[in-house]
Amino acid sequence: MSSASTSSAPETSASSHFEKLTRCCMRCKISRFLNKTIEIEKAGVARVAIPFQPDLTQNADFLHAAMLFEVGDTAGFMAANSMEETYSVLTVDYHINLIRPVQNEGVYAVGEVVTAGRTLYVARSDVYSESGKLVAAGQGTYTVSKILLSDLDGYDD
């Protein structure tokens, strides 16, 4: 029996939601500007990457810390919103610990929901250099908004 024939309706629904959410988030100007890639691995887990771009460095040629924050927050946001299929979540708080600078490499973050409530999600996100070194660790709180996902550009295209 093939794996396709054993797929259940909820997995198909989740897969469709993941694709819609990813497409919607890739329509954001910041995502296009940073040339991000976004992948929802499963409900509650997402991976976001930003390739190296010299224009994103600070004066010592290290990747600006704002990029570590951005990739970490987006991974946490995507992980949380992957579990919420009706409304968009919004970042309430995001805290990041910078561990080491990044030079001449892009970064990626893996976000994972650690607790999910009715209105709040908490997600941890670890940020790595392209070579696999842990460069930052963050945690975010995301609230379920009243913004319908179906109202966002790209979600239902």
Side-chain angles (χ1 to χ4, degrees):
M1 185 181 286
S2 75
S3 63
S5 64
T6 61
S7 293
S8 64
E11 290 178 67
T12 303
S13 173
S15 176
S16 174
H17 170 59
F18 298 168
E19 291 169 12
K20 290 176 174 185
L21 187 59
T22 300
R23 181 178 57 235
C24 179
C25 289
M26 288 306 297
R27 289 258 177 103
C28 296
K29 291 177 184 176
I30 190 73
S31 294
R32 292 191 318 261
F33 175 76
L34 294 174
N35 197 25
K36 278 194 274 190
T37 58
I38 299 172
E39 177 187 353
I40 300 171
E41 296 177 3
K42 63 182 181 180
V45 179
R47 184 180 190 279
V48 177
I50 299 173
F52 176 72
Q53 298 172 53
D55 290 341
L56 301 178
T57 61
Q58 44 89 305
N59 58 0
D61 285 333
F62 293 120
L63 188 64
H64 197 285
M67 298 306 103
L68 305 182
F69 182 99
E70 203 290 333
V71 75
D73 178 44
T74 301
F77 164 86
M78 293 297 290
N81 222 147
S82 72
M83 298 177 71
E84 171 55 50
E85 294 191 27
T86 304
Y87 297 100
S88 179
V89 301
L90 299 172
T91 304
V92 174
D93 177 67
Y94 188 79
H95 177 82
I96 191 165
N97 294 105
L98 304 173
I99 297 169
R100 65 176 45 93
V102 178
Q103 196 167 35
N104 298 317
E105 290 186 86
V107 291
Y108 68 93
V110 177
E112 183 169 2
V113 171
V114 294
T115 188
R118 192 171 54 80
T119 60
L120 288 177
Y121 291 87
V122 175
R124 174 190 164 96
S125 51
D126 289 331
V127 182
Y128 300 90
S129 65
E130 286 176 340
S131 62
K133 291 181 183 167
L134 182 66
V135 297
Q139 180 172 298
T141 303
Y142 305 88
T143 188
V144 178
S145 74
K146 295 191 186 298
I147 302 166
L148 290 169
L149 287 169
S150 60
D151 288 345
L152 297 177
D153 181 38
Y155 188 80
D156 277 337
D157 289 356

